[in-house]
Amino acid sequence: MTEILQPLEVARAAKLLREGRLVAFPTETVYGLGADARNAEAVAAIFEAKGRPHFNPLILHFGSIRFAFREVVPDERAERLARKFWPGPLTLVLPRHPDSRVDLLAGAGLDTLAIRVPGHRLALAMLNLTMIPIAAPSANPSGGVSPTTAAHVRDGLDNVVDAILDGGPCAVGVESTVLDLSGGGAVLLRPGGVPVEEIEAEIGPVGRPVPIEAGEATRSLRSPGMLLSHYAPDSPVRVGATEVGEDEALLAFGDPLPGAAVTWNLSPRANVGEAAARLFSGLRWLDLRVSRLGLKGIAAMPVPGGGLGAAINDRLQRAAAPRPRPLV
Ligand code: AMP
Ligand code: MG
């Protein structure tokens, strides 16, 4: 049975984590599926619960910069970015510290670790009560749409996680930006909650990896979350829609296209921040309508690419990519 914990029960969440249990918790980006990152069994349980491939490493969450930097070898760029953006939606990939206590599977056997300090009061309270590194991918079955409410977590992982700490809806709504600082140049592995332009303002130019092509899923080893198909609802998704059929569900941005069977507007006032916060709820809502009404799929209107728009477009393109897993 999955326990639902209210914010005042944060100490219970921390206790369960210390006991090696799985606890979903809110962050400013999406809900995370947390476990003690030092505990091999607890880490294995995360992979099991999500059906996550073992080559895809987990992000480690900490309550403070000091604790986070104990597990890695930070450089000056990392320190600068941490001061500027933490707590917040930025994940840094850095060389693993030789004395790191983090289980090898959590890092998928790599010699780097991905770390962040989330910008969410309840998450920070929980992390500071546990005093241990908490591995936490998004709290949803692998490949699917990320959860931004406790109810979303339940939809995908009820009776699989031991508890869900309910902190209401997530304010940012898309995952953290993942930045690789383990090599010479900084490389953007995943666009996310901190726009890359803001990172470049701090540390100079950031490299963009060559996009992965369809059918090429294994080159994703540098950042396995860059698998082409990800964040996918069950329904087919098409992006950049400039017209919509009456047998389609519309994911609108700004003035909605006329004629769709059902519409979810990401942001009637065409604001990318609002759209990011409503993205995963919208995909879930439309997905249900497509299946109930027997529609063809979801048509997504174009979203401008600046700021959080880059993260939104990244998620939509992956949602629209050919699926390696069978559609159910
Ligand atoms: P998730 O937490 O499921 O939203 O995804 C975590 C993301 O961080 C994925 O894209 C992972 O591939 C990426 N990641 C985690 N650890 C590392 C690492 N050591 N090196 C590169 N990417 C990483
Ligand atoms: Mg995920």
Side-chain angles (χ1 to χ4, degrees):
M1 270 291 285
T2 297
E3 277 182 62
I4 307 295
L5 302 176
Q6 298 308 312
L8 283 173
E9 296 172 283
V10 62
R12 165 113 185 113
K15 179 164 179 283
L16 288 171
L17 285 168
R18 289 193 67 90
E19 289 169 0
R21 314 281 286 277
L22 294 184
V23 177
F25 63 97
T27 76
E28 80 283 34
T29 60
V30 303
Y31 273 70
L33 177 58
D36 179 351
R38 308 163 310 173
N39 177 330
E41 274 177 43
V43 169
I46 291 184
F47 284 89
E48 175 79 7
K50 282 181 63 83
R52 184 174 175 110
H54 283 129
F55 59 76
N56 194 355
L58 308 175
I59 295 175
L60 306 166
H61 293 67
F62 300 87
S64 71
I65 299 182
R66 196 165 61 85
F67 273 112
F69 279 171
R70 281 215 326 223
E71 306 298 329
V72 295
V73 185
D75 60 11
E76 204 224 296
R77 298 168 302 178
E79 274 159 16
R80 190 172 174 142
L81 292 172
R83 271 199 306 275
K84 173 84 184 176
F85 295 111
W86 284 353
L90 174 65
T91 294
L92 299 176
V93 175
L94 289 160
R96 182 189 173 99
H97 193 283
D99 298 334
S100 171
R101 304 159 292 165
V102 171
D103 174 65
L104 283 175
L105 175 60
L110 301 173
D111 52 9
T112 54
L113 290 176
I115 57 169
R116 94 175 181 104
V117 178
H120 190 286
R121 282 174 63 177
L122 195 54
L124 288 175
M126 187 193 78
L127 292 165
N128 283 317
L129 283 169
T130 64
M131 301 285 283
I132 51 181
I134 297 298
S138 53
N140 58 287
S142 188
V145 179
S146 301
T148 53
T149 65
H152 292 165
V153 178
R154 242 180 147 163
D155 284 346
L157 298 176
D158 199 19
N159 294 331
V160 175
V161 319
D162 294 304
I164 304 172
L165 181 60
D166 188 350
C170 304
V172 174
V174 288
E175 292 82 352
S176 58
T177 304
V178 181
L179 187 73
D180 187 356
L181 295 175
S182 66
V187 180
L188 178 70
L189 298 181
R190 173 174 78 185
V194 174
V196 66
E197 304 89 293
E198 291 183 25
I199 295 171
E200 290 185 316
E202 290 298 310
I203 59 164
V206 168
R208 316 286 200 277
V210 186
I212 292 165
E213 316 239 330
E216 210 200 323
T218 47
R219 184 163 60 88
S220 47
L221 282 177
R222 179 150 190 199
S223 185
M226 288 167 61
L227 288 173
L228 190 70
S229 174
H230 209 95
Y231 313 108
D234 288 334
S235 327
V237 176
R238 69 180 177 97
V239 290
T242 49
E243 32 58 58
V244 61
E246 56 189 31
D247 54 355
E248 285 184 301
L250 179 68
L251 188 69
F253 180 82
D255 290 334
L257 294 168
V262 283
T263 297
W264 174 281
N265 203 329
L266 289 172
S267 174
R269 62 196 168 106
N271 174 285
V272 285
E274 180 181 40
R278 290 170 53 76
L279 175 65
F280 291 139
S281 290
L283 284 173
R284 284 167 181 269
W285 191 86
L286 291 175
D287 203 20
L288 204 62
R289 301 304 169 291
V290 167
S291 102
R292 277 198 196 145
L293 303 173
L295 304 175
K296 207 168 81 185
I298 299 172
M301 288 174 63
V303 174
L308 286 183
I312 296 173
N313 285 320
D314 171 82
R315 305 306 183 269
L316 286 175
Q317 271 152 19
R318 289 175 209 274
R323 316 279 171 82
R325 66 192 177 114
L327 294 178
V328 284

